[in-house]
Amino acid sequence: MQTIVLGSSSITRAELLNKFEVPFIQRDAGFDEESLRISDPAHFVYHATKGKMQSYLEKYDLEMPVLCADTVVTANGQILRKAKDRADAKRILEAQSGNTVSILSCMIYKSKTIELIDLSTTDYLFLPFDTKALHDYLQSDEWQGKAGACMVEGFCKSYIKEVVGLESTAMGLSVEKLLPFLTF
Ligand SMILES: Nc1nc2c(ncn2[C@@H]2O[C@H](COP(=O)(O)OP(=O)(O)OP(=O)(O)O)[C@@H](O)[C@H]2O)c(=O)[nH]1
């Protein structure tokens, strides 16, 4: 399998590619999502991913295929992105406690021969988060750098009452959907 570029600074996305044994190098795409003024979650995550890809291609060529992605969490129709600080993380997590949450991940894979664009959603019905467990999680700083301050494989896992969709999508990269295209 050809080595690709993960055009992302995300540790989680790197861990996902390693889990699926996809050979890659990692480069930051260097796009500022804060520049986007889009309230619709699907539009936001798509344009953020397009922006990352465009930013990457301004700096690098396509000698190696490149993969960019973006993830947002939504609850009550709001976009819940990465928390700015612990208080923001508390607000964001409380919006998800006992609630239906959708996590949207968009990815764009581009090589000299193909371009794949995928936008997937994983829906969770969470039980109410235990107050002390939430406090301890907030003290841990694990919420930092995570869309929605959420870790579906970590803190949030024990509160999952129902789930529809891939866990990888919820973690930031729908790798299972990418794999068939890596041999093109
Ligand atoms: N471990 C973990 N990480 C998550 C989860 N949900 C979202 N994330 C991560 O949250 C981050 C969402 O922020 P993005 O702006 O999409 O990506 P980033 O980390 O800033 O990295 P770039 O691609 O360089 O922008 C990504 O790194 C996701 O992998 C989760 O449930 N578990």
Side-chain angles (χ1 to χ4, degrees):
M1 195 185 299
Q2 184 180 13
T3 299
I4 69 170
V5 177
L6 172 58
S8 169
S9 59
S10 169
I11 295 170
T12 302
R13 292 189 178 113
E15 289 168 351
L16 285 166
L17 289 181
N18 281 325
K19 175 182 172 186
F20 285 88
E21 298 179 345
V22 176
F24 70 97
I25 62 169
Q26 200 163 359
R27 290 173 180 159
D28 185 356
F31 176 71
D32 176 18
E33 299 146 69
E34 297 310 319
S35 63
L36 295 176
R37 293 287 175 267
I38 301 171
S39 57
D40 176 85
H43 288 202
F44 181 94
V45 78
Y46 169 73
H47 286 289
T49 308
K50 283 286 279 184
K52 291 177 183 181
M53 180 60 75
Q54 285 162 354
S55 175
Y56 177 87
L57 294 175
E58 285 166 8
K59 293 191 279 286
Y60 303 100
D61 62 25
L62 273 179
E63 278 313 303
M64 295 171 76
V66 57
L67 172 66
C68 294
D70 194 67
T71 302
V72 294
V73 174
T74 69
N76 308 324
Q78 305 167 40
I79 295 184
L80 305 174
R81 299 194 45 233
K82 288 180 280 188
K84 297 176 179 58
D85 54 33
R86 185 166 289 123
D88 196 29
K90 182 172 188 291
R91 175 188 65 83
I92 289 171
L93 285 159
E94 286 175 344
Q96 299 173 73
S97 175
N99 207 350
T100 300
V101 173
S102 294
I103 305 181
L104 292 77
S105 281
C106 182
M107 65 178 172
I108 300 178
Y109 173 76
K110 195 173 176 65
S111 73
K112 287 179 180 174
T113 54
I114 67 162
E115 179 172 20
L116 164 74
I117 300 178
D118 176 83
L119 202 169
S120 295
T121 302
T122 297
D123 297 325
Y124 289 95
L125 174 56
F126 285 135
L127 296 165
F129 299 156
D130 172 82
T131 306
K132 180 175 182 330
L134 177 56
H135 174 271
D136 294 348
Y137 176 59
L138 287 167
Q139 301 309 313
S140 73
D141 288 347
E142 281 188 282
W143 50 269
Q144 289 186 3
K146 310 288 192 306
C150 174
M151 289 182 71
V152 292
E153 81 284 14
F155 169 74
C156 298
K157 194 173 186 76
S158 59
Y159 299 102
I160 298 171
K161 184 173 181 186
E162 289 175 36
V163 54
V164 177
L166 296 172
E167 183 179 69
S168 60
T169 298
M171 292 176 69
L173 195 65
S174 309
V175 186
E176 297 90 327
K177 295 192 171 185
L178 172 67
L179 293 177
F181 296 91
L182 293 181
T183 55
F184 276 49

